[in-house]
Each structure stands twice: as C-alpha cells, then as structure tokens.
Amino acid sequence: MTTLKSDHELPLRERKKVETRAAIHDAALRLVAENGVGHASVDAICSEAGVSSRTFFNYFPSKVSAIVGLSSFVVTDAQRDEFLTGDGERYLVRDLCTLVGAVMDATARDGVDREAIRDLLGRRPELAPDVIRFASELRHDIVVLAEQRTTPARARLAVTLVMSAVDSALHRPLDAVYDEQFSTWLFEAVMTMQAIARESLD
Amino acid sequence: MTTLKSDHELPLRERKKVETRAAIHDAALRLVAENGVGHASVDAICSEAGVSSRTFFNYFPSKVSAIVGLSSFVVTDAQRDEFLTGDGERYLVRDLCTLVGAVMDATARDGVDREAIRDLLGRRPELAPDVIRFASELRHDIVVLAEQRTTPARARLAVTLVMSAVDSALHRPLDAVYDEQFSTWLFEAVMTMQAIARESLD
DNA sequence: ACTAATTACTGCAGAAAGTGCAAACTTTCA
DNA sequence: TGAAAGTTTGCACTTTCTGCAGTAATTAGT
C-alpha cells in the first residue's frame, strides 16, 4: 500500500484517485514480480486492479511508469533556481548531486518505494533498459540546466557522471542509510567511481 | 551508401542482402533526419526503401536498430577472453575502455557511421532515449564480464563510468581524431570526467 | 538449360502499447 | 434536487513487432 498519509480529511473524489492510482501501481508491481515483465500486460494489470485499460493510461503515461509508480520526474522551480545560483563549474558535481538527490527524495515523499524497485530490478533485470529509458527524461532536463553553468560537452559529462551514480543506487545499496539523504549517497558513489577510476586507470 | 567494399566477387544473393540492408538503413536515416522521428514510421521507411514491412523486421529487430544501422552489439570471444585475462581490479577501467572501444570499432568496420548518428542525435534529441535503450544491451553484457573481475557493485560502477564516456562520444566530439581509436578517446573522456569531478567536488 | 533444393520476400492475422473522442456515470455544490 | 464539474469507460485507430504459410527468386546438380 503506497498511501502514506491523509487518507482521511480528503474529499471523497481525491481519495478515490489516490486509491486507484495505488491499486494500479501495486497490481503492476505484483504481477511483474510474479510472472515477469512479459506476462504482465497492461490488460492483465488492469484486471488485477479492477480498472479499464483506458483508465490505466489516464493515471500513467506508460507501463514502466506504472511499475515505477511515478508519472514523471519533476524539477521544481525552487530546485532549479537554487542550482542556477551556483557559480559556473565550481562545485558543479556537488550541486548536481544535491539537485538530483532532491528530485529523487521528492519522489520518495510521493510514495515511490525505491527499495521495492531495487528488489524488482534485481529479480527482473530485463526491466533495466525500460527504467533507464524512463529516467532519461530527467537526465535531459538536468543537462539543459548544467549547460547554463559550463560548456555543453562538460555539462553532459558531469551529468552523466551523476546519473551513473543514480543508476548504481537503483541496483545495489552501498550502505544501509542512504534512504535518508539521497544526495549524500550520490556524492559518495561519485567519489567511489573516482576512486575506482584512479586505482585502475593507468 | 554503406557498402564498404567487395560489392563484386560476392554471390548475387549476398550482394542483394547487403544492398537491401543498406537501402533500409539509408531510408531510415534520411526520413528521420528530414521529417523527425514521429513522421518516420516503419511503413514510411519501407516504402522509401522499396521493401515490405515484414522484410524490414527481417533485417533489423527494431526501428532504432535500423536507424543506427546495427542489429546488435557483439562482444567476440577473443575480446571477451582478452578482457578476462586481466587481473582483478588492476587496470579495470582501462581494460573496459579497451573492450568497449574494440566493440565500437568493429561496428564502424561493419559500416556503422558514428558521425551520421551523432549528427542525427544533435538534430533530433528525441531519439536519445531510444538509442540509450538500444545500447543498454551491450551494457548488460559488459557488466556480466566486469563482475568476474570485481564485486558486483564496483563492477557496475566501473562499467557505468565507461558507458558514460560512450554516451558523451555519441553526442559531441572532444577532439577531431577520435574516430581512429575509440578506446583512446574513451580513456580521455573518463579522465576528463575525473578531472571535472575532482575540480568541482568539494 | 532444366530441375530441385535453398533461401529470401511477402501478405495476413494478431498481440501489445498508446491516443483521441464522446457517452455514461459519480461526486460536488448551490 | 439538480446542474456543473470531474472520472471512467468503450470504441476505433495507429504503431511496433511476431509467427506462419505461401510465393518468388537464387543456386546447385545433371
């Protein structure tokens, strides 16, 4: 159940929306975990959730989106502004970690269960390409932002570096507490990558 | 025209296969460049190339695959063996660059035009997610290999680092001669990422 | 040069992900 | 209660992609 709070004191209509959304997401997660991605068609998920397929796409723009439980990644104006107050390439990677971490933390607050997704990716690696494709949308937004602080080439490089860390986070935890502050964990992952590179580069 | 050599002295049937393959790929590339990804349906590409849609999927497993001009990335046994002679984490990233570079160079020898693809991605950024998804297949193979030389977590981190460089290469050239030796260029890109990270990390 | 065996091409039928539209239904609020 | 606003649904349609079976073309044997 992905209902975090405030099931009460919400108008009936809103409550139902939250419920169906959760029903679809839960059904998707369960079916994929049990039967594999291939046998979890949209129609199957819809039967399981008790909605029509048209309603399915009313809540989520794609199948993976329903599995992940997120319509799309959103960079808020505040997050964008804070990032852009940064000074050129100074602290660029650190600021990118902060920004991406904030976006990811927001999704967690919206009920996205990173732990569940990571488990699922472990059990069903075929999903990875689709999830990566889904996340590439966020990636693009971030590149556009980073390009306002350095050259396009270096912006892409820096963003790629940080998104790499996100990818790793979706697969394995390096420590147990990263769920608290994602940006901190990102930061450490980037430094680990650096260390690996340095040790084995030449 | 993506026929590199030996149009002659090949049996007629083989020659025709090479020709239709090139016809499909060229049509796809042209249509996407002109009309955008949305208006370049498989059917449209087929008319342009003069084949049936069934034949299209006989040559390429997906639409992006036809655009890129490659059925799939292949790691040869020799490449795999050479990589696995390497010693644990020592030179891991360097060896990964060599491996991935070799695979990419092989595609170039098979007629894949990196320059054309890079131009296309510049003009039609909507394509990027699909191309990334396509490449994630190679990524998976490489991760499996890297896991034989270090822990899964560090393997993934190292591979991601190198694939990041590939991604950058698909978008912008950092220098002009990288087409000669892709692995060298990869190597430099990884070090550039390191430099960016170091400069702007703390 | 004619036949027989491969091998490629094609059409057809169909699954599955999505999308737009208008009808039917439900909640809300006056 | 009844109108307004919002939600769900069915339907028709597009697009990518697959299996199957038949047809057409290349090749090899005599």
Side-chain angles (χ1 to χ4, degrees):
Chain A
M1 288 302 153
T2 328
T3 53
L4 38 166
K5 63 165 186 178
S6 67
D7 244 34
H8 313 280
E9 84 209 46
L10 222 58
L12 206 164
R13 195 145 54 190
E14 298 298 314
R15 200 168 67 213
K16 276 197 168 183
K17 267 171 86 169
V18 172
E19 273 170 17
T20 36
R21 193 188 169 87
I24 294 173
H25 170 51
D26 290 349
L29 217 48
R30 192 167 49 246
L31 278 188
V32 172
E34 287 172 5
N35 306 8
V37 188
H39 292 182
S41 65
V42 171
D43 281 347
I45 298 172
C46 290
S47 322
E48 186 86 358
V51 295
S52 76
S53 74
R54 197 60 192 79
T55 302
F56 179 99
F57 290 109
N58 235 337
Y59 278 88
F60 297 99
S62 70
K63 201 169 93 171
V64 268
S65 147
I67 294 171
V68 171
L70 186 69
S71 296
S72 68
F73 291 99
V74 175
V75 180
T76 68
D77 288 353
Q79 287 162 350
R80 200 200 58 223
D81 289 348
E82 202 205 316
F83 174 79
L84 289 179
T85 54
D87 178 19
E89 268 191 28
R90 275 254 292 263
Y91 308 127
L92 213 207
V93 170
R94 195 201 57 186
D95 291 351
L96 283 172
C97 287
T98 305
L99 174 60
V100 174
V103 172
M104 300 293 282
D105 284 339
T107 68
R109 247 174 280 119
D110 277 345
V112 172
D113 187 346
R114 280 204 289 267
E115 192 83 23
I117 293 171
R118 211 180 45 223
D119 283 0
L120 193 62
L121 281 175
R123 267 204 303 270
R124 307 284 175 189
E126 332 83 90
L127 251 182
D130 292 306
V131 173
I132 291 173
R133 193 189 187 291
F134 182 68
S136 68
E137 169 203 342
L138 169 63
R139 196 201 133 88
H140 177 261
D141 292 349
I142 306 265
V143 168
V144 169
L145 286 181
E147 280 177 347
Q148 297 186 41
R149 284 185 47 176
T150 180
T151 67
R154 288 172 77 89
R156 187 169 297 277
L157 239 26
V159 170
T160 302
L161 192 64
V162 175
M163 291 306 282
S164 306
V166 175
D167 172 86
S168 297
L170 282 180
H171 286 280
R172 300 174 180 282
L174 281 189
D175 56 49
V177 292
Y178 79 96
D179 264 301
E180 297 298 326
Q181 282 258 65
F182 200 71
S183 55
T184 305
W185 190 89
L186 275 187
F187 210 60
E188 284 175 26
V190 169
M191 292 204 286
T192 306
M193 282 200 282
Q194 249 213 302
I196 292 177
R198 194 168 37 233
E199 286 166 20
S200 67
L201 213 54
D202 75 336
Chain B
M1 288 299 152
T2 330
T3 54
L4 39 165
K5 64 165 185 177
S6 66
D7 245 35
H8 313 280
E9 85 209 49
L10 221 58
L12 206 164
R13 196 146 55 191
E14 298 299 314
R15 200 170 66 213
K16 274 197 167 181
K17 268 172 84 170
V18 172
E19 273 169 17
T20 36
R21 193 186 169 86
I24 294 172
H25 170 49
D26 290 347
L29 217 47
R30 191 168 48 244
L31 278 188
V32 172
E34 287 171 6
N35 306 7
V37 188
H39 291 182
S41 66
V42 171
D43 281 348
I45 297 172
C46 289
S47 320
E48 186 86 358
V51 294
S52 76
S53 75
R54 198 60 192 76
T55 300
F56 179 99
F57 289 108
N58 235 337
Y59 279 88
F60 297 99
S62 70
K63 201 170 96 170
V64 267
S65 146
I67 295 171
V68 172
L70 186 70
S71 294
S72 68
F73 290 99
V74 175
V75 180
T76 68
D77 288 353
Q79 287 162 351
R80 200 199 59 224
D81 290 347
E82 201 205 318
F83 174 78
L84 289 179
T85 56
D87 179 19
E89 267 191 27
R90 275 253 292 265
Y91 308 129
L92 213 210
V93 170
R94 195 201 55 184
D95 291 352
L96 283 172
C97 287
T98 304
L99 174 59
V100 173
V103 172
M104 301 292 283
D105 284 339
T107 68
R109 247 174 279 117
D110 277 345
V112 173
D113 187 345
R114 280 203 290 268
E115 191 83 23
I117 294 171
R118 211 180 46 224
D119 283 0
L120 193 62
L121 280 175
R123 266 203 304 269
R124 307 284 174 190
E126 331 85 90
L127 252 182
D130 292 306
V131 173
I132 291 173
R133 194 190 186 287
F134 182 69
S136 69
E137 169 203 343
L138 169 64
R139 198 200 130 89
H140 178 260
D141 293 348
I142 307 265
V143 168
V144 170
L145 285 181
E147 279 177 348
Q148 297 186 40
R149 285 185 48 175
T150 182
T151 67
R154 288 173 75 88
R156 189 171 295 277
L157 240 24
V159 170
T160 302
L161 192 63
V162 174
M163 291 306 282
S164 306
V166 174
D167 173 85
S168 298
L170 283 180
H171 285 280
R172 298 175 183 282
L174 281 189
D175 56 47
V177 293
Y178 80 96
D179 266 300
E180 297 297 327
Q181 282 258 68
F182 200 72
S183 55
T184 305
W185 191 88
L186 278 186
F187 209 61
E188 283 175 27
V190 170
M191 292 204 286
T192 306
M193 282 199 281
Q194 248 211 305
I196 292 176
R198 195 169 34 231
E199 287 166 20
S200 67
L201 213 52
D202 75 334

